[in-house]
Amino acid sequence: MVAPAVALVAVVLGILVGEARGPADARAMVVLAVLALVVTARTAPGWRRVAAIVFAVGLLGGAAMQRALDGLTHSPLTTAVAARADITARVTLVEDPDATRWSASALVRVDAWSTGTSPRDSAGGRRVLASASGDSTTRLALLAAGEGATVRGWLAPLDGFDTRMKWRHAVATLHVTDVLAVARPRDPLARLANRARSLVLSGSEALAPVDRAVLAGFLLGDTRAVPDQVEEQFRAAGLTHLTAVSGGNVAFVLALVAPLLRRLRLGGRLVTSLAVLVLFGTMTRWEPSVARAITMAVIGLLAGYLGRPTAGVRVLVLAAGALLLVDPFLVHSVGFLLSCAASLGIALWARPIARWRRGPMWLREVLAVSAAAQLGVAPVLVPVFGSIPLVALPANLVAVPLAAPLTMWGIVAGVANGLIGPIAPSIPRLLAVPTAALVHALLAVADVASRVPIALDGRALAGIVALGTLVAAAHRARSLRRDARPLPAR
C-alpha cells in the first residue's frame, strides 16, 4: 500500500511542478519516464524499484501537465482567438447547456471551422465555451451533450469568471450569434445514453418543478434547474454531495443489474458490468466524481476477474493516479478532490468508527460512513469555502438513508414510466408518490439543518482534530496499561 501512495504523491507533485514550469511539448520527459519504467520492469523488487516507479510517474505527471498547458496555448484556433475573428464552426456539445431566460452556454468541441476567407479546417478537437444570447439562446439551450450544431459567431479569449473553463480544456469563448443547423449525435453511445437519460427522467414528469429538478440532481447529477435557494440550503446543511453523482450511485446501478449479472458466467459478468458503467458514465456526462467512482469500479472488477482482489485504499490510489495522468487539470477540480477525499475518509475511518460506537449495526454503519466522509472532505471544504457546517453529521445521518432508496426507486420508476406510461397514463402518477415523499423528506432535512447557524472554520476544526487525537491516544495508552497488568496468581 505504501508504494502506490508514494507514487500518487509523486504524480501530484510532478503535475504541480509541470504547472509551475509552464507550457511545453515535454516529449523528452515522456521518453525518459518510459525508459525508467522499462528499467523498473527489469529491477528486482525493493527500494530501487519503488524509487524508479516514483521517478517515472513524477515525470509523467509533469509532462502531462505541460503538454495540457501547451494545448491551451498553441492550437489551430490561437491566431483566430487573438484576432477575435468571425467564424463558422461545426461543433459537438461536451455537456448539457446551462441556460437562463436570456442566455445559454455550453462547453463544445470544435470539429471544423472556417472564416469568411479561409476554407473549412480542423481545430484539432479543441474545446471552446459556446456562449449564446438573444435569438440563439433557445436553439442552443434545447440541445444535449453529444448533439452537434453548425454555428456562427466570433472568438475571444476566456475572460473573468469564464477563465475557470481552461481547467476543462477550453481555449477560448465562442460568442454565438446564430445557430445555423443542429444534428443528432453521431456517436451511437451518446445516442443510447441520451435515450436512457430521458427514460430515467421520464419518471419525474408528474412531479412539481422543484421536486423534478432535485430528483435529476440525485439520479444524474444534473442540478441546472435546482433553485438557488435549495442549493444554498443543501450547502448550509452539508448535503451538497447528495446531488453530486458518485460512488453510491454507481453501486446502486450495479445493484439494480445484479440479478442479471448473477445469471452470467464470469467473463459475461465482467463485460456486462463494464458496459453498464460506461453507459452510466456517459449518461452523467463523466463528471469528475463519476469518473473517479467508475474507474475504481473497473479496477475492482478487473482485479476480481483476475483473482487478485484489492483493498479499497489501493483501488482509490490507483484510480486517482490514472485519472490525473490522463487529465492533470483534475487537480483544480473541487468535485474530484471532494470525491477522492470522501472515499479516502470512508476507506480509512468508517470501520474504526463503527467499532467504536455503540448501538444497532445499521445505525453505527450509517453514522460511521457519514462521519468518515465528513472527516475526509474537511481539508478540502475549509480552504475552498472557509468553513464546514457543524450540523453536517446529524443531517447526513438522517438524509443518507433517504437518498439510497430515492436513487434506486427513481431509476426504477423512471424506466417503468417510460415503458408503461404510454399504455397506462395513470401509472406514472402512482409511481411518483413514493418519489415525491422521499424528495420532500430530503428537502425538509436540508431546510431544518440549514437553519443551524454554527459552522467550523479552520482553527476550530484543527482544535477538534487535536482534541480527538489526544482522546484517542489516552484511550490507547489506557488499553496498553490494562493489557500489561500481570495476571492474578491462581
Side-chain angles (χ1 to χ4, degrees):
M1 179 55 222
V2 176
V6 173
L8 177 60
V9 173
V11 170
V12 174
L13 291 177
I15 288 173
L16 296 178
V17 171
E19 182 178 349
R21 295 185 63 181
D25 184 70
R27 293 185 184 180
M29 292 176 62
V30 174
V31 172
L32 185 58
V34 171
L35 290 176
L37 290 176
V38 171
V39 172
T40 300
R42 298 177 176 272
T43 303
W47 68 268
R48 289 186 178 85
R49 171 175 286 188
V50 174
I53 292 175
V54 169
F55 175 72
V57 297
L59 282 179
L60 285 176
M65 175 57 89
Q66 289 192 278
R67 289 179 64 84
L69 292 173
D70 189 66
L72 296 181
T73 306
H74 305 100
S75 76
L77 297 173
T78 300
T79 303
V81 172
R84 300 177 182 266
D86 293 317
I87 68 168
T88 300
R90 189 177 72 244
V91 301
T92 300
L93 273 72
V94 176
E95 63 180 4
D96 298 310
D98 187 8
T100 65
R101 185 177 179 180
W102 310 110
S103 64
S105 63
L107 191 65
V108 303
R109 183 183 69 248
V110 181
D111 300 319
W113 67 287
S114 65
T115 62
T117 58
S118 68
R120 189 171 291 262
D121 196 4
S122 170
R126 294 303 196 276
R127 296 179 177 185
V128 298
L129 177 63
S131 178
S133 58
D135 296 337
S136 302
T137 298
T138 303
R139 298 199 70 184
L140 181 62
L142 291 176
L143 297 177
E147 294 184 330
T150 301
V151 300
R152 183 184 293 126
W154 53 280
L155 291 169
L158 294 169
D159 186 35
F161 188 67
D162 291 339
T163 55
R164 77 194 192 283
M165 297 302 293
K166 73 176 184 179
W167 301 124
R168 299 188 62 190
H169 302 274
V171 300
T173 298
L174 173 59
H175 295 275
V176 178
T177 57
D178 195 8
V179 179
L180 304 176
V182 297
R184 294 182 60 194
R186 286 186 275 180
D187 182 6
L189 177 60
R191 289 200 298 269
L192 179 61
N194 285 350
R195 174 56 183 157
R197 186 182 175 94
S198 298
L199 191 64
V200 169
L201 292 178
S202 65
S204 64
E205 293 177 355
L207 300 176
V210 174
D211 297 347
R212 188 163 58 245
V214 172
L215 182 64
F218 273 84
L219 299 183
L220 300 170
D222 185 356
T223 59
R224 292 173 298 161
V226 177
D228 293 340
Q229 179 184 357
V230 175
E231 283 193 344
E232 178 58 27
Q233 286 177 346
F234 272 82
R235 190 202 66 77
L239 301 175
T240 306
H241 64 93
L242 295 179
T243 58
V245 180
S246 190
N249 300 74
V250 173
F252 297 150
V253 169
L254 290 177
L256 288 174
V257 298
L260 171 63
L261 297 177
R262 282 194 291 267
R263 297 176 179 270
L264 302 175
R265 294 185 177 180
L266 189 59
R269 193 178 304 172
L270 174 66
V271 173
T272 304
S273 299
L274 294 178
V276 169
L277 290 174
V278 171
L279 176 61
F280 184 69
T282 308
M283 289 172 58
T284 54
R285 312 316 191 197
W286 292 105
E287 290 291 329
S289 57
V290 176
R292 190 276 309 162
I294 290 180
T295 304
M296 287 185 65
V298 169
I299 293 174
L301 289 170
L302 291 175
Y305 178 76
L306 297 174
R308 302 182 63 180
T310 307
V313 177
R314 181 183 291 270
V315 173
L316 173 61
V317 168
L318 293 175
L323 289 172
L324 286 171
L325 288 176
V326 171
D327 184 4
F329 287 173
L330 286 175
V331 295
H332 294 284
S333 169
V334 175
F336 178 76
L337 296 178
L338 287 174
S339 179
C340 290
S343 298
L344 181 61
I346 293 171
L348 291 178
W349 300 312
R351 288 185 179 179
I353 293 175
R355 288 195 300 265
W356 177 63
R357 298 295 301 173
R358 296 180 180 179
M361 178 57 69
W362 69 269
L363 180 61
R364 284 190 291 161
E365 288 181 349
V366 172
L367 179 60
V369 170
S370 300
Q374 291 299 318
L375 287 174
V377 300
V380 180
L381 286 176
V382 171
V384 174
F385 299 107
S387 64
I388 57 175
L390 184 63
V391 75
L393 183 56
N396 276 273
L397 183 61
V398 178
V400 169
L402 297 173
L406 174 61
T407 302
M408 298 187 72
W409 175 255
I411 294 175
V412 172
V415 174
N417 287 340
L419 298 176
I420 304 174
I423 303 173
S426 61
I427 297 297
R429 290 192 294 272
L430 293 176
L431 295 179
V433 173
T435 306
L438 289 168
V439 171
H440 290 167
L442 280 166
L443 289 173
V445 172
D447 181 31
V448 172
S450 65
R451 300 175 187 273
V452 179
I454 304 174
L456 299 176
D457 58 11
R459 288 180 296 180
L461 188 63
I464 291 175
V465 171
L467 179 61
T469 302
L470 289 175
V471 171
H475 179 74
R476 179 60 176 168
R478 182 180 177 183
S479 300
L480 291 175
R481 286 196 302 269
R482 184 175 61 249
D483 295 340
R485 290 175 183 172
L487 296 175
R490 293 185 179 178

